[in-house]
Amino acid sequence: MRFMMLVKSAKHSGPPPKELMDAIAKLGEEASRAGNMVETGGLAPAAMSTRVRLAQGKITAIDGPFAETRELVGGYAIFEFNSKQEATESALVFMELHRKHWPGWEGETEIRQIFTMPDYTCESGSLELKRNSAQGS
């Protein structure tokens, strides 16, 4: 099963310390050797992004920065695991690196299972997730 992990912080804390980045690189190398890591990357600041929004029948493109930003998504990773439990354990290790190497930083890692077309069925006349596709725990 594939999982995307989104790293979010409550506020802009500046660039991460070198020690944290070194520890994350080592963790990434280990995950790659184990065959779990599919892809990873950091994201540009919200000030450099664009939001395309559909509201009241109109589509608009709005360039950052965004005043209403409550949390910042700083990076992501895509992993292949046998269960949601394995994904959660991996995120706990990742967050421990933040606690150890970036004291005072606060944030979260959101774990989302990735579904592809084989995970869906149209048996009821509309697209639905198959029952066994979300049993990743």
Side-chain angles (χ1 to χ4, degrees), residues 95-114:
M95 293 302 279
E96 180 59 34
L97 294 179
H98 282 73
R99 180 167 55 181
K100 180 178 179 183
H101 297 291
W102 201 352
W105 181 84
E106 293 185 359
E108 66 185 25
T109 296
E110 181 177 338
I111 304 165
R112 309 267 307 262
Q113 187 173 351
I114 298 172

Side-chain angles (χ1 to χ4, degrees), residues 32-114:
S32 291
R33 276 196 302 275
N36 297 114
M37 178 156 316
V38 176
E39 181 180 347
T40 186
L43 301 176
M48 297 172 61
S49 67
T50 300
R51 292 181 181 170
V52 178
R53 179 174 292 155
L54 172 60
Q56 299 177 349
K58 294 182 181 179
I59 299 174
T60 55
I62 305 158
D63 291 329
F66 308 106
E68 72 273 9
T69 301
R70 291 182 300 251
E71 60 186 19
L72 300 170
V73 180
Y76 73 96
I78 298 175
F79 291 93
E80 187 78 39
F81 290 117
N82 292 320
S83 67
K84 186 176 179 184
Q85 180 62 36
E86 283 184 27
T88 301
E89 290 168 5
S90 176
L92 288 168
V93 170
F94 179 76
M95 293 302 279
E96 180 59 34
L97 294 179
H98 282 73
R99 180 167 55 181
K100 180 178 179 183
H101 297 291
W102 201 352
W105 181 84
E106 293 185 359
E108 66 185 25
T109 296
E110 181 177 338
I111 304 165
R112 309 267 307 262
Q113 187 173 351
I114 298 172

